[in-house]
Amino acid sequence: MGQMTSLQALKIDNNRMSGIVPTEFAGMVSIQSFSFSQNALTGTLPTQLGLLTTLRQLAVNGNMFAGTLPSEVGKLTALEDLEVHNNQLNGTLPTELGTLTAMTMLSLGMNGFTGTVPIGIFAMMTDLTMLSLHNNNLTGTLPSQLGAATSLQNVSVHGNAFVGTLPTEIGQLTALVFLDVSTNFFTGTVPKEWRRLEALESLISGNNRLTGTLHSELGQLTGLNFLWLNDNYLTGTIPKALGDMTWLWSIRLENNAFTGTIPTSMSGWVTVGDFLFSGNNLTGSVNHILCTGALKWNTLQSDCLVARNGEIIDSAEIECQCCTTCCNAAGEDCQAM
């Protein structure tokens, strides 16, 4: 393998290869694409990867590599695509990642990386379109410098242990289409600055510790298909501006502390198939808002449960004749209708 000095691409994906990657590959001095994804390779990622300075794509995802991501990867300054997701890698992320200024895809999810995301590694990644850090054990705050990666379209950092507030600088990512920051320990509010994300189609921020009220500027994200803010500590009333999101398919607000009633503006929805708002302190009837028109509900869930097996067990907070699932006043004991 080391004698293939003119080889530019080596792709052996989706086979049943096992064992370790031989270090002799370092002799492939012209290689630009190195792809061994979806196999059963083990061992560590060799430090000799740093010798492949012509490399533009490194895809070893879907194996069983362990150990750390070598700092030598920072020598691959021509690298555009780094995919090491779905392995058993651990340790901290090397600060040398910040030298990869040509990067367009950085996929590190589904490993066991720990520690904080090094400050500044995104500052020069102006061509980065996809960032995946999901399902690791990363801690600390999400760096505000992420806002410098202005070409980002897809950001997935869910399933970690991030803390602190959601960076306002994410509002600078005007090309962003998908954002998933769910299942962390983020606090504070959804930043008003995110109203600038006009291309955003999915905002997933459930299972955090967000507080405060939802600002009406959120309604400016009229292209959203998915808005998931469930399982937080959000308070106040639901903004009527959410009714302006005419392209919504799925909205999840359950298990917060919203008060008041469902805004009548939501009667203008035409594409929503899932709306979950149980486990709040909402009251009133939604029959004239959500149970008329052309909406066909896959899931409409509220605190509308009054009886089980014909026996009166509660007084419903929400009157809803078209709900597919009704929960008790505490948002629990949910029953299919």
Side-chain angles (χ1 to χ4, degrees), residues 194-317:
W194 288 14
R195 69 182 184 277
R196 304 172 188 148
L197 303 177
E198 296 181 355
L200 196 63
E201 296 178 0
S202 297
L203 173 54
I204 313 297
S205 190
N207 291 290
N208 279 291
R209 296 177 177 177
L210 299 178
T211 56
T213 60
L214 285 184
H215 51 83
S216 60
E217 289 89 346
L218 195 63
Q220 295 179 25
L221 303 179
T222 55
L224 275 183
N225 299 144
F226 294 87
L227 176 61
W228 290 5
L229 301 172
N230 54 289
D231 296 279
N232 282 288
Y233 301 98
L234 297 169
T235 57
T237 59
I238 297 174
K240 64 180 182 179
L242 296 191
D244 297 331
M245 296 180 174
T246 54
W247 292 103
L248 272 178
W249 299 343
S250 177
I251 177 169
R252 296 187 59 179
L253 302 178
E254 76 269 22
N255 300 326
N256 281 284
F258 290 116
T259 56
T261 60
I262 294 298
T264 57
S265 60
M266 290 181 175
S267 63
W269 283 343
V270 293
T271 58
V272 178
D274 300 302
F275 182 24
L276 290 76
F277 57 101
S278 58
N280 285 285
N281 298 312
L282 299 165
T283 58
S285 174
V286 298
N287 291 334
H288 63 296
I289 303 171
L290 302 177
C291 299
T292 60
L295 286 174
K296 303 294 183 182
W297 295 107
N298 297 317
T299 303
L300 182 60
Q301 179 173 302
S302 72
D303 297 338
C304 54
L305 186 66
V306 294
R308 186 193 304 110
N309 297 325
E311 179 182 353
I312 301 297
I313 61 171
D314 208 345
S315 58
E317 293 189 338

Side-chain angles (χ1 to χ4, degrees), residues 67-69 88-94 111-116 136-138:
T68 62
L69 182 63
Q88 299 169 16
L89 300 173
N90 53 51
T92 58
L93 299 178
N111 281 290
F113 291 119
T114 57
T116 60
N136 281 288
N137 298 307
L138 296 169

Side-chain angles (χ1 to χ4, degrees), residues 115-187:
T116 60
V117 178
I119 294 177
I121 66 169
F122 306 115
M124 301 300 293
M125 292 186 182
T126 55
D127 293 325
L128 188 67
T129 61
M130 195 280 278
L131 172 65
S132 173
L133 301 176
H134 69 278
N135 294 106
N136 281 288
N137 298 307
L138 296 169
T139 57
T141 59
L142 194 60
S144 60
Q145 291 84 355
L146 185 62
T150 52
S151 296
L152 273 170
Q153 299 177 21
N154 188 310
V155 174
S156 299
V157 299
H158 59 277
N160 283 286
F162 288 119
V163 297
T165 58
L166 295 168
T168 60
E169 291 81 1
I170 286 179
Q172 300 170 18
L173 306 179
T174 55
L176 198 61
V177 175
F178 181 89
L179 175 62
D180 190 345
V181 296
S182 64
T183 317
N184 282 286
F185 300 101
F186 288 117
T187 55

Side-chain angles (χ1 to χ4, degrees), residues 76-81 99-105 124-125 127-128:
L76 306 178
T77 55
L79 197 63
E80 299 174 0
D81 181 357
T99 65
L100 305 180
T101 58
M103 189 70 64
T104 61
M105 179 180 291
M124 301 300 293
M125 292 186 182
D127 293 325
L128 188 67

Side-chain angles (χ1 to χ4, degrees), residues 70-88:
S71 61
E72 287 80 4
V73 75
K75 299 177 181 179
L76 306 178
T77 55
L79 197 63
E80 299 174 0
D81 181 357
L82 176 59
E83 301 179 52
V84 299
H85 57 275
N86 195 17
N87 278 287
Q88 299 169 16

